[in-house]
Amino acid sequence: RRATVELNQERLEKGLDIMEQVQAKVEGLKQDLSVKMVQVEEKVSATNILIDQVTMESEKASIEEEKAGKEAAATSELAASAAAIKAEADGELQEAMPAMAAAEEAVNCLTKSAIQELKALGKPPPDCVEVTKAVLIMLKHEKKNHDWKNAQKMMQNPGQFLDEVFAFNPKDIPDWVLDALDPVIKQPFFNYETMKGKSSAAAYLCNWVVNIVTFNRIYKKVAPLMQRVEVATETKEKAEAKLAIVMSQLKQVQDMVAGLNAKLTTAKEELASTEEEAEKCKDKLALAERL
């Protein structure tokens, strides 16, 4: 009988030990669950803050994208306009290029010896005097004194004279010079073919004058168009600079949104993991409490 009592007492003590152990585990699980639930709440709060940030920055990005789209469209339109004006100007200038090339060729054919030969003429043909008259008007802006002696003075130093001819700016000829030259170059003999039989230097100078005048008349017609090209190009470049700033700002916002989205993805994954751990903890606690 005494052995039975001792056995029952031993069983009771073991049972009480097991109950104490289970109770301790239950308390531990409760504490773990409490910590996990705090973590869940913290992560939910942090995730919601990130969602708000992503939403706000995404709205900013949308505004910047719309702004960039409008700027890009406007810039594209300005670029197309500038290109069209430039193409028109280039087309007009193409008319002037043959005349300029012919004038340059005429100058390149002039030599010091040819000028010296022309200058040395004591009594030159009247047609040659008319050619040097045209050169005096165009090169020296001479309004009155167009006689042969003044022409000889102009050609006194053939090398220097040729340098002046080479350096002449065909784009900058006053209107009064063109008006004064007009009746001279309209004379029937005022052409290379007619003049080359009288003086090679006079013939090339004649060709130079005619083609420089032709070039200048076309250039002056195109000049306003060239100004439009300049203005259009400048406007386009300013628009491109403005667009570059807008695109840079857009990229900054997009990069920020991308970074926030990456953080949000990580936060959601961490939240899901913590919630999963909390659920497992709840399950263990429920199981322990049933024991």
Side-chain angles (χ1 to χ4, degrees):
R1 184 179 179 88
R2 183 172 178 178
T4 302
V5 170
E6 288 177 352
L7 179 62
N8 287 336
Q9 184 178 354
E10 184 179 345
R11 284 177 178 173
L12 178 60
E13 287 175 354
K14 284 183 179 179
L16 289 172
D17 285 343
I18 290 171
M19 288 182 66
E20 285 179 2
Q21 289 174 10
V22 169
Q23 188 62 36
K25 285 184 178 179
V26 168
E27 290 301 320
L29 287 171
K30 284 182 178 180
Q31 288 178 4
D32 288 345
L33 181 59
S34 176
V35 171
K36 288 294 178 187
M37 294 310 296
V38 170
Q39 290 176 346
V40 167
E41 288 179 10
E42 288 175 348
K43 289 187 182 296
V44 167
S45 177
T47 301
N48 286 334
I49 290 172
L50 276 173
I51 289 172
D52 289 341
Q53 284 183 314
V54 170
T55 301
M56 181 176 67
E57 294 301 331
S58 294
E59 288 174 356
K60 285 184 183 179
S62 295
I63 293 170
E64 290 295 332
E65 283 173 358
E66 184 179 356
K67 184 179 176 182
K70 289 179 180 178
E71 290 291 342
T75 301
S76 178
E77 188 176 334
L78 287 170
S81 175
I85 296 171
K86 187 176 185 303
E88 184 183 351
D90 288 345
E92 294 280 356
L93 278 174
Q94 282 304 310
E95 283 185 55
M97 289 303 102
M100 193 62 214
E104 288 176 354
E105 183 182 357
V107 173
N108 289 334
C109 290
L110 285 168
T111 62
K112 291 181 183 180
S113 58
I115 298 299
Q116 184 64 43
E117 183 181 328
L118 176 62
K119 184 190 73 167
L121 293 175
K123 192 176 181 182
D127 296 352
C128 290
V129 177
E130 285 296 295
V131 170
T132 55
K133 172 184 175 180
V135 176
L136 279 165
I137 294 172
M138 189 158 73
L139 194 62
K140 297 296 185 180
H141 290 180
E142 181 59 60
K143 293 183 178 181
K144 296 180 179 180
N145 188 0
H146 304 139
D147 62 24
W148 180 240
K149 284 186 178 180
N150 201 27
Q152 287 178 308
K153 181 181 177 182
M154 174 179 66
M155 298 181 287
Q156 181 63 38
N157 184 328
Q160 185 177 327
F161 171 70
L162 287 177
D163 287 342
E164 288 184 53
V165 172
F166 273 112
F168 184 77
N169 182 4
K171 298 177 182 178
D172 186 22
I173 302 177
D175 288 340
W176 76 263
V177 170
L178 295 174
D179 292 340
L181 286 171
D182 194 53
V184 179
I185 63 178
K186 280 183 176 177
Q187 295 177 97
F189 62 83
F190 208 94
N191 58 79
Y192 175 78
E193 291 300 323
T194 301
M195 292 303 302
K196 70 180 181 179
K198 299 177 182 182
S199 163
S200 64
Y204 285 124
L205 285 172
C206 172
N207 210 22
W208 176 69
V209 170
V210 169
N211 284 291
I212 287 294
V213 169
T214 301
F215 173 86
N216 181 266
R217 290 192 188 283
I218 297 172
Y219 177 80
K220 281 184 175 174
K221 185 177 74 170
V222 179
L225 197 56
M226 295 298 291
Q227 287 182 330
R228 284 177 57 203
V229 170
E230 187 176 342
V231 171
T233 301
E234 185 179 346
T235 303
K236 175 183 75 78
E237 288 173 352
K238 286 181 179 178
E240 287 173 341
K242 186 178 178 183
L243 176 61
I245 294 172
V246 171
M247 294 304 291
S248 176
Q249 291 171 340
L250 173 60
K251 187 178 184 307
Q252 288 177 1
V253 175
Q254 288 174 330
D255 289 346
M256 184 181 293
V257 171
L260 287 171
N261 273 318
K263 286 183 180 179
L264 179 59
T265 299
T266 302
K268 284 180 176 179
E269 290 172 352
E270 290 177 355
L271 174 60
S273 176
T274 305
E275 286 176 333
E276 185 180 353
E277 289 176 7
E279 286 300 319
K280 288 179 180 179
C281 191
K282 283 181 182 179
D283 292 341
K284 287 180 181 179
L285 178 61
L287 182 61
E289 285 179 336
R290 287 200 298 270
L291 295 176

